[in-house]
Amino acid sequence: MDRLSLRQFIVITFLIGLAMKMFNLPVLMLRFCGRDAFVVLLIEAAADFILLGAVIAIIVCARGKTLFMLLEDAFGAIVSRIITIAVGLFWLLKLFIMLVDVRIFFSNTVFNAPLGAVHVLPLIVLLVYFALKPLSGAGRLGELFTPAVVISMALLGALTVSKVDFGGLRPLLADGSKPVTDGLSSLFMWFGDFTLLLMATGKADGGKKLFFALPAGIAAFACMTLFSAVLFASYGDMPELLSYGHSISNITQYAVGSFKFGRFDLLIFAMWLSAVFVSSGIIAAFFARCMNYVFGGKVGRVMLVAGGAAVYIATMFTVNLNTVTELAMVYFNIPAAVVQYGLPVLCVVALTVTRIKRRKHEINEKAPQ
């Protein structure tokens, strides 16, 4: 059944709130913004919480219409398909960036050697398969993996938080507002993920109870903020020592004495990776549904396979993973902001237009002939 229950919607909201931000984002922010990365994170988290509220309101107000029906009713078939193609291609790019983040993490933290493209191929094939399945499949996986993610975060917090001096976060804004404004204007690719939930428009049960997903978003941001603060407090005075892929895992290794007990941190991050899998699968499904709407079912499936092949080819030719991350901040930052924060605005406009059209139709029907 191609629907999400209320519980499935809530757990997917929680996983999406974490997945894109858990590995490289904290070190990116620290290297880019210094100690003021903590301020940037708080502001971005607040913006994303507002985005989540807007997305849920759109889903509730759509009254059973899917995202594509909503856009087509308001803007017509041609314009809605142009919008959908642009959105779909962006999410394919974001899927590639997410895979780059995972490769950087494994290359630098797990294997201490470059992770080749062939290691990513099984995941890409699995994501293509995942994208062809109903939303209920993603919901069931979310229900299955969320307890493991919560347990991993509890373990991570217990092992690290008590050993960190959070006084290292001060002083904030010592260099003025420029680091904050630079960070806010350069990291959109790693935020705005809740726009993915628009795929559930017309397909999520619960009505106004969907707003119960807001606490799940808050919980995801609280976890991300806490674990990022650990890194910021520990390396705020020496961000130049960090390299891409140096994540909270490195703090965990020290905290649990991995030199004596083994890489216990990898068990924690294996559980965290389940959130990445579910979220990347939802991105692939979003792209697949965009292509299905624009080109039709059979051609849409071909486009999905072609998109997966394109991601793999790009992975094959990506030698310097750090360069990809830097290019994403320079060239794809504005497109990320436009798509992820602009699509919900378009949906609000579409809801307004369709309501006006419906009101005019009702007036015309009641008018005397």
Side-chain angles (χ1 to χ4, degrees), residues 219-241:
F221 288 139
C223 294
M224 181 61 205
T225 301
L226 175 62
F227 298 137
S228 296
V230 170
L231 198 67
F232 298 160
S234 301
Y235 291 93
D237 292 324
M238 44 187 177
E240 65 278 357
L241 295 182

Side-chain angles (χ1 to χ4, degrees), residues 204-223:
D205 299 326
K208 293 182 179 180
K209 291 181 180 179
L210 292 175
F211 282 102
F212 284 121
L214 288 174
I218 294 175
F221 288 139
C223 294

Side-chain angles (χ1 to χ4, degrees), residues 138-215:
R140 286 192 292 270
L141 280 178
E143 291 176 304
L144 176 66
F145 289 145
T146 297
V149 174
V150 172
I151 291 172
S152 71
M153 289 188 301
L155 287 173
L156 189 59
L159 293 169
T160 59
V161 172
S162 63
K163 296 176 174 62
V164 176
D165 178 13
F166 287 99
L169 292 172
R170 300 189 303 267
L172 297 175
L173 302 175
D175 298 321
S177 61
K178 189 176 187 304
V180 174
T181 55
D182 288 346
L184 291 174
S185 62
S186 303
L187 297 167
F188 286 117
M189 183 62 77
W190 285 268
F191 292 94
D193 305 289
F194 289 127
T195 302
L196 275 174
L197 293 172
L198 288 173
M199 185 174 64
T201 307
K203 296 179 178 294
D205 299 326
K208 293 182 179 180
K209 291 181 180 179
L210 292 175
F211 282 102
F212 284 121
L214 288 174

Side-chain angles (χ1 to χ4, degrees), residues 111-131:
F111 297 121
N112 199 26
L115 187 69
V118 68
H119 295 89
V120 182
L121 180 59
L123 176 60
I124 294 175
V125 173
L126 188 59
L127 291 177
V128 171
Y129 174 78
F130 187 100

Side-chain angles (χ1 to χ4, degrees), residues 5-81:
S5 69
L6 175 61
R7 184 170 62 185
Q8 291 170 346
F9 184 85
I10 290 173
V11 298
I12 285 177
T13 299
F14 176 74
L15 295 179
I16 287 176
L18 283 175
M20 191 70 177
K21 306 173 183 65
M22 67 174 62
F23 291 117
N24 290 326
L25 178 62
V27 73
L28 281 173
M29 298 181 74
L30 190 56
R31 286 175 64 89
F32 204 77
C33 311
R35 188 179 280 106
D36 293 331
F38 188 66
V39 178
V40 175
L41 182 61
L42 292 178
I43 295 173
E44 291 281 14
D48 268 16
F49 181 72
I50 294 171
L51 173 66
L52 174 60
V55 167
I56 294 174
I58 290 166
I59 296 173
V60 171
C61 294
R63 297 183 178 181
K65 289 185 178 180
T66 67
L67 170 64
F68 309 117
M69 292 168 59
L70 187 64
L71 293 174
E72 185 168 334
D73 287 350
F75 306 120
I78 295 176
V79 174
S80 63
R81 280 169 169 77

